Amino acid sequence: MTSCKKVGMTASQKILAAHAGLDHVVAGQLISAKLDLVLANDITGPVAIKEFKKTGAKNVADNKSIALVMDHFAPNKDIKSAEQCKTCRVFAKEQGIENFYDVGKMGIEHALLPELGLVGAGDLIIGADSHTCTYGALGAFSTGVGSTDMCAGMLTQTCWFKVPSAIKFVLHGNFKKGVCGKDLILHIIGMLGVDGCLYKSMEFVGDGVKNLNIDDRFTVCNMAIEAGAKNGIFPVDEVALEYMKGRFKRPVKAYEADEDAVYDAVYEIDLGALQPTVSFPHLPENAKTPDKWGELAIDQVVIGSCTNGRITDMRIAAEVLKGRKVADGVRAIIIPATQSVYRQCIDEGLAQIFLDAGAIISTPTCGPCLGGYMGILADGERCVSTTNRNFVGRMGHINSEIYLASPYVAAASAVAGKLCTPDEL
Amino acid sequence: MEVKGKVFKYGNDVDTDVIIPARYLNDSSEEALKAHCMEDIDPDFVKNVKSGDLIVAEDNFGCGSSREHAPLAIKASGVSLVIANSFARIFYRNSINIGLPILECPEAVKEIKAGDIVEADLSLGEIKNLTTGKTFKAQPFPEFIQEIISDGGLLKHLAKKGN
C-alpha cells in the first residue's frame, strides 16, 4: 500500500478540524465538534427549551456559551409572542445565561452578536436561525440549525457535522459607486440558484476582498443560506481585525485554506462589472439588473434586517434620502439593527434625515422581514426590501410581492415611488 | 417501518415560509402548527390530508428558514413520508431530529402524481406506486438514523438509549 498525501483543507474544514480535535478532515467526514457559542431567538428558543425540559436535564453544559436574543416578534407583537419571550426569559434566569438580550439591550441577533464581540475569527457557532451563517464575515464557521440541534448544543456544547466541500469565489477589483455587498451576493445567487451551493461552504478570497467593508461582508455571508450553503467565510484581514479589536473576547484564530485545497468549483468575479441587482418575486435567484426591471410602482420600502440593518446601510440610505422626500403613497420603514446602530443614526444626524424625508424609524426587530409585524403587505402590494427572502407570503398576503435590493436601490425607490437606482433620481 | 397513503405533489424550492408561515410562529404547539400546514402553497391541504399521506416534491424541499416548526407541522398533519429530489440542508437535519421520515428519489418523484396511492418501506428504501404498479429504490438511511426517526426524534432516541 502506498501512502497518499493528505489533500489540503479549506478554511471552513480547518475550523471544524480544530474544534473536533483532529489534525485533518475531508469532505463528507462525520465529526463531533466543540462549540464556542449556541444561539437561539424568541421563535426557535421556546421549542429548544421545551425539548430541553423533556430530557429531564437540570443544567445546560455551559451557561456562558449560550446566547438568547429576543428579536423576531419583540417588542412583543401579541400575547402569544409575549409568552414565548417569557419562556426564554425565565429559562435564562434559571440557567444563569448571561447572554440574554431583551428589549433595551437586544438588537437583531446577527448584527448584535458580532457587535458585542461574542463571535469572531476561528469560532465554531451554531444558531437556531438560518442566517447564523453571517459570522463568516469575521472568519468564523457558523451555521444555522433547528431547535433540536440547538437543545443538544445546550446539553453538550457539542454538535455533529458532516464536513462540507466548498465553492471558491475569487473577488477582483472594486465596486462602482452605488453597488455594494448586497448586489454581489444577489448576483451570485442569481448565477448559481437557491440550491447552487447546497450543503457546501462558500469561501470568498482574492484581491477584491479588501474593498468590501465589514458590513458588506456580513451581508454576503448572511445570504449564503439563500444559495443553500452551510456557511460562507471571508479571510481574516486588516478590515476584520480592525472590527474585532476591542470587541472580540477570545483570541483571534485566523484560518486560511491550504494552497492545494480542493474546491467543487471556482468562480472569478470582477466587482467592477457588477450592477445594482434586485431579486424579483418569489425566489432570491430571480436576480435582475436595471435594464430588466421595467416600470414597477411600489407601496412600501423596508431598510433593515440582519442582512442590511447595520450602520453602513443606514449611511447609504441617508445619503440617498438627504434633502429628498419619500413619494406619496409609499411607506418607508427604516429599522436600525441594534441599539448601538440606532444611537449612531441619531448621533450622526441620519435619524433627522430619515424623519425629514417622511420615513419612520423603528426599534430593532426582525418583524416585517418574516411577515411578523411592523410592515405587513396587503393583497397585491409591492415592497422593495433590503431583507433576504422574497418567498410567497413572506411579508404578508400571498399575492404581495417582495423585491430584494441594496439600501441604495431601496432608498431611491422610496423617493421615486417605483423600483429604481439613485442615478435615476 | 412501512408507510402508505395518498400523495400531495409539489414542485421545486418549497420553502419553510409556505410550509408554515411565520405569522403563526407565535405558537409552537402541534395543534396550532397543523392547522396552518402548507397554507400558503396549498390552502386545501389541511382539509384534505389524512393520517399516513405522503408529500412528494422536486428539488430543494424545505429551503429558507431554520424553523423546526416546518417538519413539525408536516409530521403533526399526519404525513408519513416526504419524498423529494433533494432537501435543503437544515430541513433535512431537522426532519431526522424530530422523526419525520424523508427519502430522496428523483425517479419516484418523476413518476408519482398527485392523488396516487404510494407505499414505502423506509428500512429498505423501497417505494411502490400502487396506482401505477411501478416500484423505485431510494438509498435508505443507515440504521442509526432510522432508529432516531422511528424513536420519534433525536432527543427521544437519546433518552431511550439512556444518555
Side-chain angles (χ1 to χ4, degrees), chain B residues 55-70:
Chain B
I55 288 176
V56 177
E58 294 174 7
D59 296 348
N60 201 28
F61 187 85
C63 64
S65 153
S66 68
R67 64 190 69 154
E68 210 159 279
H69 310 66

Side-chain angles (χ1 to χ4, degrees), chain B residues 62-135:
Chain B
C63 64
S65 153
S66 68
R67 64 190 69 154
E68 210 159 279
H69 310 66
L72 283 170
I74 292 175
K75 191 181 175 192
S77 300
V79 168
S80 63
L81 171 66
V82 183
I83 304 172
N85 291 341
S86 61
F87 292 89
R89 54 160 284 273
I90 305 178
F91 185 91
Y92 183 91
R93 199 174 164 116
N94 285 348
S95 297
I96 294 169
N97 280 342
I98 65 129
L100 171 69
I102 55 174
L103 286 174
E104 289 183 338
C105 188
E107 296 76 22
V109 171
K110 208 170 160 190
E111 197 267 347
I112 294 170
K113 293 187 174 52
D116 287 356
I117 305 297
V118 167
E119 192 178 69
D121 184 323
L122 300 174
S123 49
L124 300 174
E126 283 177 3
I127 301 166
K128 186 169 188 189
N129 187 341
L130 298 177
T131 306
T132 64
K134 294 211 168 120
T135 58

Side-chain angles (χ1 to χ4, degrees), chain A residues 171-177 179 183-184 187 268-277 289-291:
Chain A
L171 311 181
H172 301 288
N174 200 355
F175 295 119
K176 285 184 299 209
K177 176 71 186 154
V179 178
D183 303 294
L184 168 62
H187 169 78
E268 307 275 337
I269 296 176
D270 175 7
L271 299 177
L274 295 177
Q275 294 184 60
T277 303
T289 47
D291 53 309

Side-chain angles (χ1 to χ4, degrees), chain A residues 30 43-44 47 50-51 55 73 77-78 80-81 84 128-130 143-149 151-152 155 159-161 194-195 198-199 225-226 228-230 283 285 370-371 389 391-394 396 398, chain B residues 13 15-18 21-30 32 39-41 43 59-60 63-69 72 86-90 92-94 96-98 104 144-145 154-156 158-159:
Chain A
L30 290 170
I43 303 294
T44 59
V47 179
K50 190 159 78 182
E51 293 300 317
T55 67
F73 292 167
K77 80 178 182 94
D78 53 26
K80 285 179 174 176
S81 304
Q84 296 203 128
D129 187 280
S130 60
T143 192
V145 296
S147 296
T148 298
D149 277 320
C151 172
L155 282 166
C159 184
W160 66 266
F161 296 90
V194 289
D195 60 353
L198 200 57
Y199 302 111
I225 179 68
E226 261 54 72
K230 188 160 192 159
L283 281 177
E285 72 186 25
L370 74 164
R389 292 190 175 128
F391 299 148
V392 169
R394 170 83 177 176
I398 56 167
Chain B
D13 306 312
D15 61 79
T16 55
D17 276 283
V18 294
R23 58 185 177 274
Y24 302 121
L25 296 185
N26 56 3
D27 189 339
S28 65
S29 67
E30 276 191 16
E39 185 171 294
D40 282 1
I41 189 173
D59 296 348
N60 201 28
C63 64
S65 153
S66 68
R67 64 190 69 154
E68 210 159 279
H69 310 66
L72 283 170
S86 61
F87 292 89
R89 54 160 284 273
I90 305 178
Y92 183 91
R93 199 174 164 116
N94 285 348
I96 294 169
N97 280 342
I98 65 129
E104 289 183 338
F144 83 98
I145 298 280
L154 179 65
L155 293 170
K156 282 184 188 150
L158 292 178

Side-chain angles (χ1 to χ4, degrees), chain A residues 361-373:
Chain A
I361 310 167
S362 160
T363 173
T365 180
C366 306
C369 172
L370 74 164
Y373 71 133

